[in-house]
Amino acid sequence: MIDKQTRERIIALVHQEVVPAIGCTEPMAVALCTARATEMLGCRPEHITARLSANILKNAMGVGIPGTGMIGLPIAIALGALIGRSEYQLEVLKDLTPEALEEGKQYIAGNHIEIGLKENNHEKLYIEITAKAGEREQTAYIAGGHTRFVSQAEAEALALGKAAEGHGEGDNGDIQLNLRLVYDFATTVPLDEISFIEETRTYNMNAAREALKGNYGHNLGKTIERPMSKGIFGDSIYCHIISRTASACDARMGGAMIPVMSNSGSGNQGICATNPVCVYAKENENTEEELIRALMLSHLTAIYIKQSLGRLSALCGCVVASIGSSVGITYLMGGDYARICHAVKNMIANLTGMICDGAKPSCSLKITSGVSTAVLSALLSMEGKCVSSSEGIVDDCVDRSIHNLTAIGADAMCQTDDLVLRIMTSKGQC
C-alpha cells in the first residue's frame, strides 16, 4: 500500500492537472491573461498588446472560440478584456452574452489589438499581455502553465530559458512519477480518495452528447455513427469508442459553449483519456469501481508522460492521452501490470512522431487515430503480444520507452515545430 503522504501528493497533482476548461486552452489562457491585465488596469483598455510564444500562436490560430462562431486570438483577447474574469481560470469567458459578442466584434474593428511573437523566447508556454488606457498601462504574464501567473522577473527568466521548463499550474514536478507508481496508486488506493475522477465522465461524455445537437467542426463523430459508416466499422464497441471521443472533440474545437475536463492543460487530452475508457467500461459491463480506477490510471499515465514531454510540444497530445486510454482499457480487460506495460510499448511503437500542427477542428481526426491505436494496443497486450526492444525506440524498461518518446517530442522535433509554424503563417503566399 502506498503511504498516505505519497497518496496525498499524487491526488493534489491530479486535482492540479485535471480541471474544467471551456474551449481550446491556448486562446482561453490568452483571454485569461488579458482579463488579469484589464483588472490590474482598472478600466477598459484602449489598446492591448499580446506577445506570445510560437506554440501558443500555433495552437490558437485555427480553433473556434466558444459561443462566438469565430476563430483565433482577436476575439478571445477582446472578450477577455470586456467580460473575462480571471477568477474563472480556463472558464474565463463563461459570462459571454450576444451583446458582449457584438461589442467584442466592434472592439476588434477599432484596431485596439496588436498580436505578435515574443522574440528570443525559450519558454513554449508564454503569454504577455499589456493593457493601456491613456498614460496608464499594466502587464500580466502567464508562463509554464495555462493558468500560471508569474511576475515580470520570472517571466523574463523563463523567456531566457533560465528557469526549469515544464512546471505547470503549481508544480508538475512536485512528485516524480513512474508507471509502476501510477499503476499501484490507481489500483490500490482507497476508492473514496479517487472517486472524484468520475467527474471527468460527466463533463466529457456530455460534450460528446452536445455534438449531436449541432454541426461542429468536421462532424467526424456523427459521421462514424451514420449507416454507411456502420457498414464499414460495424455497430461495435470499437465504433462507439471512436465516435464518442471524436464527437466531444468536434464540439470543443468547433466552438461549443460547453466545458470539458482537461488533462495537463489540454481539453483534447482530457477527452482522449476519458471517453474511450467510459465507453468500454459501459459496454463491457465493468463495475463502477473498475471504471473509477481505470479513469485514474488513464489520466495519471497522461500526467506522468507530460512531466517529461512538457505542456506544449511538436508531438501531438493525442499520442500521450491515447497511451493513457490504452492503459485504462487494458485494465478493464483484466490486464495486470505486465499487460499494461505491453500496451504502452505497443502504443509507442505506432504513434511516435505524430506532429501537432495547432489546435483546430481536424484534431478529431488525430484523436480518432490515437484512440484506434489504443484499442488495438490493448487487444494485442491481452494476447501477450508486445513490440520488443529490438524494434525501434522501444526499450525493455517501459519507463525508458516513455522517456525515449518524450525526448523525441520535446527535443528532436523542435525544428519540426518551427517549420510547422512557418508553414501555418505563410499559407497563401505563392
Side-chain angles (χ1 to χ4, degrees), residues 11 17 35 48 57 80 98 107 119 129 135 191 205 214 251 278 330 340 344 360 366 392 395:
I11 288 168
E17 300 297 343
I48 298 171
L57 282 172
Y107 193 83
E119 299 292 345
I129 303 290
E135 297 299 314
L191 196 64
M205 291 300 289
C278 292
T330 303
I340 280 167
V344 171
K360 58 207 176 303
K366 294 189 177 186
D395 195 285

Side-chain angles (χ1 to χ4, degrees), residues 23-65:
C24 178
T25 47
E26 278 71 55
M28 289 306 104
V30 176
L32 174 63
C33 197
T34 305
R36 175 65 66 86
T38 302
E39 290 162 359
M40 292 163 60
L41 187 66
C43 64
R44 176 171 167 162
E46 296 170 2
H47 190 79
I48 298 171
T49 302
R51 292 290 176 261
L52 312 170
S53 62
N55 286 76
I56 291 289
L57 282 172
K58 181 181 76 172
N59 280 356
M61 287 172 60
V63 70
I65 306 302

Side-chain angles (χ1 to χ4, degrees), residues 11 41 56 62 78 83 131 159 163 177 195 222 225 227 318 355:
I11 288 168
L41 187 66
I56 291 289
I83 55 100
L177 301 170
S195 58
K222 291 172 76 172
E225 289 287 347
C318 86
I355 65 166

Side-chain angles (χ1 to χ4, degrees), residues 29-52 77-78 80-81 107 111-116 118 126-142 149-150 152 155-156:
V30 176
L32 174 63
C33 197
T34 305
R36 175 65 66 86
T38 302
E39 290 162 359
M40 292 163 60
L41 187 66
C43 64
R44 176 171 167 162
E46 296 170 2
H47 190 79
I48 298 171
T49 302
R51 292 290 176 261
L52 312 170
I77 291 172
Y107 193 83
N111 294 319
H112 298 288
I113 300 170
E114 178 190 345
I115 301 168
K118 177 69 176 179
Y126 183 94
I127 303 167
E128 177 184 312
I129 303 290
T130 300
K132 299 179 181 179
E135 297 299 314
R136 294 181 298 145
E137 69 175 56
Q138 291 287 340
T139 302
Y141 303 88
I142 286 178
F149 286 100
V150 298
Q152 180 179 357
E156 290 174 352

Side-chain angles (χ1 to χ4, degrees), residues 235-275:
D235 191 11
S236 62
I237 296 177
Y238 169 76
C239 174
H240 300 159
I241 284 173
I242 60 175
S243 170
R244 305 298 189 275
T245 309
S247 290
C249 180
D250 284 335
R252 179 175 175 266
M253 293 286 96
M257 195 68 176
I258 187 168
V260 301
M261 196 69 83
S262 64
N263 182 299
S264 304
S266 167
N268 281 348
Q269 285 171 198
I271 290 167
C272 204
T274 302
N275 291 21

Side-chain angles (χ1 to χ4, degrees), residues 197-209 258-259 261 274-275 278 295:
I197 200 68
E198 201 170 14
E199 196 175 13
T200 60
R201 173 176 66 174
T202 303
Y203 274 82
N204 295 346
M205 291 300 289
N206 189 42
R209 287 186 287 271
I258 187 168
M261 196 69 83
T274 302
N275 291 21
C278 292
L295 282 171

Side-chain angles (χ1 to χ4, degrees), residues 79-274:
L79 293 175
L82 297 173
I83 55 100
R85 294 178 64 176
S86 63
E87 65 192 80
Y88 291 163
Q89 300 284 285
L90 292 177
E91 296 181 281
V92 59
L93 301 184
K94 69 179 181 179
D95 288 341
L96 178 63
T97 64
E99 294 75 22
L101 175 58
E102 186 57 38
E103 191 177 356
K105 292 177 180 178
Q106 293 174 8
Y107 193 83
I108 294 170
N111 294 319
H112 298 288
I113 300 170
E114 178 190 345
I115 301 168
L117 183 69
K118 177 69 176 179
E119 299 292 345
N120 303 314
N121 171 56
H122 293 270
E123 172 57 45
K124 292 188 176 182
L125 201 166
Y126 183 94
I127 303 167
E128 177 184 312
I129 303 290
T130 300
K132 299 179 181 179
E135 297 299 314
R136 294 181 298 145
E137 69 175 56
Q138 291 287 340
T139 302
Y141 303 88
I142 286 178
H146 290 79
T147 62
R148 186 171 182 258
F149 286 100
V150 298
S151 66
Q152 180 179 357
E154 188 174 358
E156 290 174 352
L158 282 163
L160 292 171
K162 294 182 179 179
E165 188 177 316
H167 286 200
E169 290 88 333
D171 188 358
N172 195 320
D174 181 55
I175 180 168
Q176 288 301 312
L177 301 170
N178 58 63
L179 194 62
R180 180 84 233 191
L181 178 58
V182 167
Y183 175 81
D184 288 345
F185 173 83
T187 58
T188 66
V189 69
L191 196 64
D192 64 310
E193 293 184 18
I194 60 170
S195 58
F196 67 88
I197 200 68
E198 201 170 14
E199 196 175 13
T200 60
R201 173 176 66 174
T202 303
Y203 274 82
N204 295 346
M205 291 300 289
N206 189 42
R209 287 186 287 271
E210 179 67 24
L212 302 178
K213 300 176 184 178
N215 292 310
Y216 295 105
H218 297 291
N219 284 319
L220 180 58
K222 291 172 76 172
T223 298
I224 294 168
E225 289 287 347
R226 288 175 180 150
M228 183 179 71
S229 299
K230 286 187 176 180
I232 297 170
F233 295 110
D235 191 11
S236 62
I237 296 177
Y238 169 76
C239 174
H240 300 159
I241 284 173
I242 60 175
S243 170
R244 305 298 189 275
T245 309
S247 290
C249 180
D250 284 335
R252 179 175 175 266
M253 293 286 96
M257 195 68 176
I258 187 168
V260 301
M261 196 69 83
S262 64
N263 182 299
S264 304
S266 167
N268 281 348
Q269 285 171 198
I271 290 167
C272 204
T274 302

